[in-house]
Amino acid sequence: MNAIWGKKIVLGLSGGIACYKAAELCRLLIKARAHVQVVMTEAAAQFITPVTMQALSNQEVYTSQWDARASNNMAHINLTREADMVLVAPTSADFMAKLLHGQADDLLSLLCLARPMASCPLVLAPAMNREMWLHPATQRNVAQLSSDGAQVLGVAAGDQACGETGDGRMLEPAEIVQELARVFTAPALLGHRVLITAGPTFEAIDPVRGITNRSSGKMGYALASAAWQAGAEVTLVSGPVSLAAPRGVKRVMVESGQEMHEAVTSCAAQHDVFIATAAVADWRVKDVSTQKLKKTKETPSPVLDFIQNPDILASVAQGARAQSREIYCVGFAAETQDLARHAHDKRLSKGVPLMVGNLGPATFGLDDNELLIVDDRGSRTLPRASKDELAQSLVWEIAQRLPSYLKA
Ligand code: CTP
């Protein structure tokens, strides 16, 4: 179950061209199984019709505080009393200025003011021209609204509908959904700094060829997202994959096992949790050819010498022990048989408190999996679920183990 599942979200639209993105946002929220009640300002209805939003949310749309459908004629109260959040996307510069003053002359601003602040957070996704965004008045409003308790999301940079380029675009719908998931997730890793490796590594043979391991990176990326949603600061060191950087996560792209080792070693000391999900190639070619190897009659197939890559997980765990530093290390054991035995043995040989086992290659690249978690108390299965759900469960499992481990 995702963090948004079953949540009652009032989706407010104020006027701006980014209203077209609100349609996709609504669709994603519905897909995540939220209940979405759309409320639009008069200006928003100039950009996108209530009919579109009604069809996507499967609910009648509210646009006026005088709406006679509310039997008590208090739509602003009725709509927020059961709500888990009011999200205004897009939030125009004008609407922000209004909220700042507690002005309440239309249904959306009225319900933002009337919402129960303790149980119904207000999240704003600004969208405007770059000059408007940079204007001191707007920046002052953002700061004041944040200190009044609203969560003002950032903006994206890029081409704007007005033809200019810069900061001020509304975040993409998928990014906003990620931000909402963070609001709804218990901050189990708040204050922790989590380092994650993900994906395969690529070991060059010559400038055009190489060897690699099978890994889509999906599990590591899902863990990075889940850790960020649980409040952690996350660094993701990733081998070559085709996945987008998860929201909120600092991503460092690398290619080879040695590069991954260097990237991890250079920042491990600034983290207190290390999760190694990467499928690091165990060997690299000893003498990488600077030119493309040619097929000749004498050498129909080249003979390659290999040397072992550093074991990143074992070296982080060992380095921390040597310096009496505390870092909670989690390994992933990808096996083809005898999962429990191999995971148990790897936990001991790598000197880490937690090993997560999974059986490949049948699950490689899929969106779901089944995991076995092994620690000093034994092993337990996390039943088949999506990699996102498994990542959330694992984050919770790790968070439970941290206080006693980091105190010990
Ligand atoms: N790992 C690592 N660096 C390596 C090899 C593995 O950090 N050079 C980490 C992986 O990210 C994973 C764990 O060690 O968390 C186990 O990886 P796995 O490939 O299952 O095991 P190996 O140690 O490579 O052993 P084997 O290939 O013999 O199964």
Side-chain angles (χ1 to χ4, degrees):
M1 208 159 34
N2 66 70
I4 292 171
W5 186 291
K7 297 293 182 202
K8 297 190 177 74
I9 299 174
V10 174
L11 171 59
L13 279 68
S14 60
I17 187 62
C19 278
Y20 82 91
K21 288 188 186 173
E24 173 69 358
L25 174 60
C26 180
R27 202 185 66 79
L28 291 182
L29 292 173
I30 295 289
K31 202 171 153 204
R33 302 293 182 92
H35 301 276
V36 181
Q37 174 60 65
V38 176
V39 177
M40 297 171 69
T41 64
E42 211 181 305
Q46 297 289 326
F47 290 92
I48 186 169
T49 67
V51 175
T52 301
M53 298 309 292
Q54 177 172 347
L56 291 169
S57 64
N58 208 15
Q59 295 285 341
E60 291 178 347
V61 170
Y62 282 78
T63 53
S64 163
Q65 76 221 61
W66 311 120
D67 197 315
R69 278 172 297 178
S71 51
N72 57 359
N73 220 305
M74 294 190 199
H76 62 295
I77 303 290
N78 307 346
L79 292 175
T80 56
R81 288 308 176 262
E82 298 296 316
D84 295 302
M85 171 187 285
V86 175
L87 163 68
V88 183
T91 307
S92 64
D94 173 61
F95 196 73
M96 257 198 283
K98 224 176 189 185
L99 286 179
L100 179 91
H101 291 289
Q103 207 175 318
D105 59 358
D106 63 27
L107 178 59
L108 188 56
S109 54
L110 188 56
L111 71 82
C112 287
L113 193 67
R115 79 187 204 286
M117 282 180 70
S119 60
C120 182
L122 174 62
V123 179
L124 306 175
M128 64 199 72
N129 163 269
R130 66 190 176 105
E131 297 291 358
M132 292 165 78
W133 174 250
L134 289 176
H135 196 285
T138 304
Q139 290 305 312
R140 208 167 45 232
N141 292 351
V142 169
Q144 186 60 50
L145 284 165
S146 305
S147 87
D148 287 351
Q151 183 167 340
V152 186
L153 304 181
V155 291
D159 294 341
Q160 303 202 308
C162 52
E164 297 180 0
T165 304
D167 286 343
R169 284 169 60 95
M170 188 168 87
L171 295 180
E172 292 306 315
E175 294 176 307
I176 295 176
V177 172
Q178 295 275 310
E179 292 279 355
L180 301 197
R182 193 172 202 232
V183 173
F184 287 128
T185 301
L189 288 180
L190 192 65
H192 290 285
R193 303 190 66 178
V194 178
L195 176 61
I196 299 175
T197 62
T201 65
F202 179 86
E203 312 297 331
I205 295 173
D206 67 15
V208 298
R209 305 184 183 92
I211 53 170
T212 188
N213 278 13
R214 284 184 66 186
S215 167
S216 65
K218 284 180 181 170
M219 192 66 226
Y221 275 59
L223 266 169
S225 266
W228 172 73
Q229 283 171 7
E233 263 184 66
V234 182
T235 308
L236 176 65
V237 178
S238 170
V241 294
S242 55
L243 302 170
R247 174 122 193 106
V249 167
K250 180 181 168 205
R251 181 170 73 161
V252 180
M253 293 300 291
V254 295
E255 196 169 272
S256 66
Q258 274 181 304
E259 281 173 18
M260 186 174 275
H261 184 235
E262 277 158 32
V264 166
T265 312
S266 70
C267 69
Q270 284 99 57
H271 297 82
D272 62 357
V273 178
F274 177 48
I275 312 175
T277 72
V280 184
D282 287 315
W283 304 280
R284 65 178 183 275
V285 176
K286 190 161 165 248
D287 297 307
V288 178
S289 173
T290 52
Q291 300 300 329
K292 187 180 177 194
L293 298 176
K294 299 306 269 181
K295 293 188 295 276
T296 61
K297 281 204 183 92
E298 298 74 52
T299 55
S301 46
V303 177
L304 300 172
D305 260 353
F306 289 97
I307 42 177
Q308 223 177 68
N309 264 334
D311 189 317
I312 303 169
L313 176 61
S315 77
V316 168
Q318 204 206 331
R321 268 196 305 276
Q323 296 168 19
S324 307
R325 244 189 314 111
E326 288 165 341
I327 183 160
Y328 188 84
C329 291
V330 182
F332 269 69
E335 307 296 341
T336 52
Q337 58 176 348
D338 284 342
L339 180 59
R341 184 168 60 82
H342 286 307
H344 176 79
D345 292 350
K346 272 186 192 169
R347 189 182 85 81
L348 296 179
S349 69
K350 302 209 181 218
V352 299
L354 188 65
M355 186 59 73
V356 183
N358 70 129
L359 277 177
T363 56
F364 291 162
L366 294 186
D367 288 329
D368 65 351
N369 202 353
E370 179 183 300
L371 298 176
L372 183 76
I373 51 174
V374 181
D375 66 7
D376 58 353
R377 287 171 295 182
S379 63
R380 197 157 66 79
T381 300
L382 294 181
R384 181 158 292 279
S386 74
K387 287 184 179 171
D388 287 341
E389 286 167 316
L390 287 172
Q392 285 159 19
S393 306
L394 263 180
V395 159
W396 189 85
E397 294 283 347
I398 292 167
Q400 298 312 300
R401 289 165 169 83
L402 286 185
S404 55
Y405 183 84
L406 295 179
K407 258 190 266 136

